[in-house]
Amino acid sequence: MILFQLYYEFFKTGLFAVGGGLATLPFLRDISTRTGWFTAAQLSDMVAVSESTPGPMGVNMATYVGYTTAGIPGSICATLGLITPSILIILLVALSLKAFRNNKYVESAFYGLRPASTGLIAASGLSVLVMALWNDAGGSILRCINWKGIVLFAVLLVLTRWVKPTKKLHPICFILASAVIGIVFGF
């Protein structure tokens, strides 16, 4: 039963998360709240690992949740659930592309999806920023701010925007440096 539930939950996510891996975050938060398969802290870890490992972010997160919930069969079911809607939609589009290629309603629908996708990605980016820079420590507001995260963010911003020698480095260098710093300083 858990395998079917994993497939179903990630099928819904794959069907409605338009815009890529970050667009799956609101759906993953909902899954976390309703099922208890993972915590908010685990979700932030999933985002960090999924962003720094090869492969699509959404697929990496689905595989992780499936594996931690039901082992290898769970990872397969969750991953298949996430990618099935895309495969079905691509097949339908490919079959009917010639008939609807110049249809103004189809063009309008895709044009209308752009702001929705942008909104989902922006909301996900904001939630990742809040998860990274805000602690639920309680007490004063100064205790709730993740100062180490803010310093790392500021340093990376300066290095990627205004320091000429590091501005041209490949993004993987910053990802690896951030991973090492996160491990060393216990983020």
Side-chain angles (χ1 to χ4, degrees), residues 63-147:
T63 305
Y64 176 82
V65 171
Y67 184 78
T68 57
T69 305
I72 292 175
S75 66
I76 292 169
C77 287
T79 303
L80 286 176
L82 186 75
I83 65 171
T84 300
S86 300
I87 292 170
L88 294 175
I89 291 169
I90 288 170
L91 288 174
L92 288 172
V93 167
L95 292 173
S96 60
L97 184 60
K98 288 186 180 181
F100 295 106
R101 186 175 190 139
N102 295 322
N103 186 313
K104 67 179 181 179
Y105 298 112
V106 172
E107 287 179 18
S108 296
F110 280 110
Y111 186 77
L113 282 174
R114 289 180 189 158
S117 176
T118 302
L120 281 172
I121 292 170
S124 298
L126 184 60
S127 71
V128 168
L129 184 67
V130 169
M131 282 190 296
L133 302 179
W134 189 260
N135 296 324
D136 290 330
S140 71
I141 195 164
L142 294 175
R143 287 190 53 191
C144 293
I145 295 173
N146 181 356
W147 293 105

Side-chain angles (χ1 to χ4, degrees), residues 121-184:
I121 292 170
S124 298
L126 184 60
S127 71
V128 168
L129 184 67
V130 169
M131 282 190 296
L133 302 179
W134 189 260
N135 296 324
D136 290 330
S140 71
I141 195 164
L142 294 175
R143 287 190 53 191
C144 293
I145 295 173
N146 181 356
W147 293 105
K148 292 188 289 187
I150 289 175
V151 169
L152 178 60
F153 173 76
V155 168
L156 287 174
L157 181 67
V158 168
L159 289 176
T160 58
R161 297 288 178 216
W162 297 295
V163 178
K164 279 196 177 204
T166 58
K167 195 173 177 180
K168 295 179 182 180
L169 287 175
H170 195 278
I172 195 70
C173 296
F174 294 105
I175 292 171
L176 291 173
S178 297
V180 169
I181 290 168
I183 291 168
V184 169

